[in-house]
Amino acid sequence: MSQTKAQLVSGTAAQDLTVDNINTSSINSGQTSGRKNLIINGAMQVAQRGTSSTTSGYGSVDRFQVNYSGTDEAPTQAQVDVASGTSPYTSGFRKALKITNGNQTSGAGADDYIRIIHFLEAQNVAQSGWNYVSSSSNITLSFWVKSSVAQNFYGFLLTNDGTAYSYPFETGSLTADTWTKITKTIPGNSNLTVNNDNGTGLEFQITPFYGTNKTGSVSLNAWGAFSTSARTPDYTSTWYTTNDATFEITGVQSEVGPTATDFEHRSFGEELQLCKRYFQKMTRTNQEVFCCGYFESDTIGRHALQLPVTMRTDPTTTFSAASTFTTIYTGSLQSGTSVGIINTSPESVFTTLTVGAGGGTDGQANLLGAAGGATATISIDAEL
């Protein structure tokens, strides 16, 4: 059996540790244990809502919004495969978030935009080890990006507590249909405020297009007071006005320290659990069961749905059609006529299902499930 050898090698700010010829000197200070990546689902693995959508907001890849306004045709957001043989693929990435912009026949309007946003929970930033009010303390942002059109794009970090400050940056001119890794080292600033709470502490945004009502004179690579009318420098409209142009991103990582280290790949299961703090979608088919409950009367069932992951805050709950649900008791089924919420907490959702006449008996136990031959869904949302 080989013996593990550890040697302390002198460093400047701290000791570098070498274990069996693996040296940690490349690891950012404060990131030698725990999760170094503050971004959740940065490898775009989890898509609980579905793999494709034209929704403005959360529609496909978890924790990443795709917002748009003023478009002639709704853009499509989708979770897609990373092609084998590409640089992200060889680095372990198998999924990406892709925007297809549609057909913008009327051109680039001043109020038009398509953007990608990821919100970081404030307490995760506040407790990350980044001294965000010090210009000598850094976080490093890195990601892979690809555009079907060769041009420069912009993005920024934005604080939400206190006075909003942003840190705009550019990708530089991208080669069409070629993955490029972007790395930005971002210092703290004495004007920044990040509360130690469950609200939004930091926002990462990368924007395929902003119209001129949202762009203007902006200093890149520097913190400045955020202006909604000058978020980034002016955009060229080439990507936006090219029919069905695409924009893809994966491998998003934000870590404490001045250096971009290898991406922190997390298992699908672990990433899914992290995403469920913000959104959970439960699906049952053909009499599969959600939870147990009881009849309050012969037509109204009450059911306590215990959530597998505690959510960020009291969630908003939406259901598929009431007819897709049923109460199951003593071998009998009663399809729902209405479904709703009695109350919620971060740990549980208390539901009510009304069924047809001749249902159960007051106080009788029953199960909440999917109706025979139907698919029932419960979507529980506590997103930032």
Side-chain angles (χ1 to χ4, degrees):
M1 181 181 294
S2 61
Q3 183 178 2
T4 300
K5 297 179 181 180
Q7 178 186 2
L8 286 178
V9 183
S10 63
T12 53
Q15 296 289 308
D16 302 328
L17 178 64
T18 301
V19 180
D20 283 346
N21 298 320
I22 301 174
N23 192 281
T24 64
S25 59
S26 63
I27 298 178
N28 286 320
S29 174
Q31 295 302 312
T32 55
S33 63
R35 296 187 181 97
K36 68 179 179 181
N37 190 4
L38 299 177
I39 301 292
I40 295 174
N41 203 30
M44 313 298 169
Q45 297 183 78
V46 181
Q48 294 184 81
R49 296 171 178 86
T51 57
S52 182
S53 175
T54 54
T55 297
S56 178
Y58 292 107
S60 58
V61 173
D62 276 55
R63 305 281 20 260
F64 286 83
Q65 282 193 13
V66 176
N67 297 129
Y68 62 85
S69 181
T71 57
D72 298 308
E73 181 181 358
T76 299
Q77 56 169 302
Q79 182 196 51
V80 297
D81 293 332
V82 174
S84 63
T86 61
S87 294
Y89 188 94
T90 58
S91 296
F93 299 103
R94 296 297 182 267
K95 297 294 182 181
L97 172 59
K98 179 179 181 179
I99 299 174
T100 304
N101 72 355
N103 185 350
Q104 309 310 326
T105 55
S106 65
D111 282 320
D112 295 0
Y113 64 82
I114 301 176
R115 64 192 182 190
I116 300 170
I117 306 176
H118 181 96
F119 297 102
L120 286 77
E121 191 170 337
Q123 58 193 349
N124 294 343
V125 178
Q127 300 176 42
S128 67
W130 178 38
N131 185 10
Y132 50 86
V133 294
S134 171
S135 60
S136 61
S137 182
N138 301 278
I139 56 171
T140 299
L141 176 69
S142 57
F143 55 92
W144 288 93
V145 66
K146 181 175 75 168
S147 167
S148 63
V149 174
Q151 71 168 67
N152 186 26
F153 296 90
Y154 298 103
F156 54 83
L157 288 186
L158 173 66
T159 62
N160 283 262
D161 295 321
T163 301
Y165 275 76
S166 67
Y167 188 99
F169 58 82
E170 61 184 352
T171 63
S173 183
L174 301 180
T175 301
D177 297 313
T178 301
W179 283 105
T180 301
K181 187 173 184 179
I182 308 299
T183 301
K184 301 293 177 182
T185 298
I186 300 168
N189 184 281
S190 59
N191 294 307
L192 305 186
T193 301
V194 180
N195 294 336
N196 186 31
D197 61 20
N198 65 351
T200 300
L202 198 62
E203 176 181 325
F204 162 67
Q205 187 172 142
I206 184 73
T207 309
F209 181 73
Y210 261 137
T212 54
N213 281 352
K214 294 176 176 59
T215 63
S217 179
V218 176
S219 296
L220 294 175
N221 304 314
W223 287 103
F226 180 64
S227 171
T228 57
S229 60
R231 307 176 191 214
T232 70
D234 291 339
Y235 270 75
T236 177
S237 61
T238 307
W239 180 89
Y240 187 71
T241 56
T242 299
N243 289 347
D244 296 322
T246 60
F247 187 90
E248 297 179 56
I249 187 171
T250 193
V252 184
Q253 179 157 285
S254 178
E255 56 189 304
V256 178
T259 305
T261 65
D262 291 343
F263 185 84
E264 182 184 51
H265 287 282
R266 298 190 280 250
S267 71
F268 178 87
E270 183 178 9
E271 208 74 80
L272 176 60
Q273 292 300 94
L274 293 173
C275 290
K276 283 184 175 181
R277 176 169 171 78
Y278 305 92
F279 178 81
Q280 302 179 33
K281 184 175 182 179
M282 301 180 183
T283 302
R284 303 291 187 270
T285 302
N286 193 25
Q287 301 178 38
E288 292 177 338
V289 173
F290 286 100
C291 60
C292 61
Y294 65 95
F295 280 106
E296 182 188 18
S297 67
D298 61 352
T299 59
I300 298 176
R302 302 284 193 244
H303 306 91
L305 182 62
Q306 191 71 26
L307 302 179
V309 175
T310 299
M311 306 201 77
R312 181 186 64 86
T313 189
D314 288 353
T316 298
T317 305
T318 56
F319 302 88
S320 57
S323 60
T324 64
F325 293 89
T326 186
T327 54
I328 305 171
Y329 63 99
T330 61
S332 299
L333 301 175
Q334 281 289 325
S335 295
T337 59
S338 67
V339 61
I341 291 294
I342 299 173
N343 57 51
T344 62
S345 76
E347 294 80 22
S348 63
V349 174
F350 195 23
T351 71
T352 177
L353 180 69
T354 302
V355 297
T361 303
D362 186 5
Q364 183 181 33
N366 66 66
L367 302 173
L368 175 66
T375 297
T377 61
I378 303 176
S379 296
I380 306 162
D381 192 327
E383 289 281 8
L384 290 161

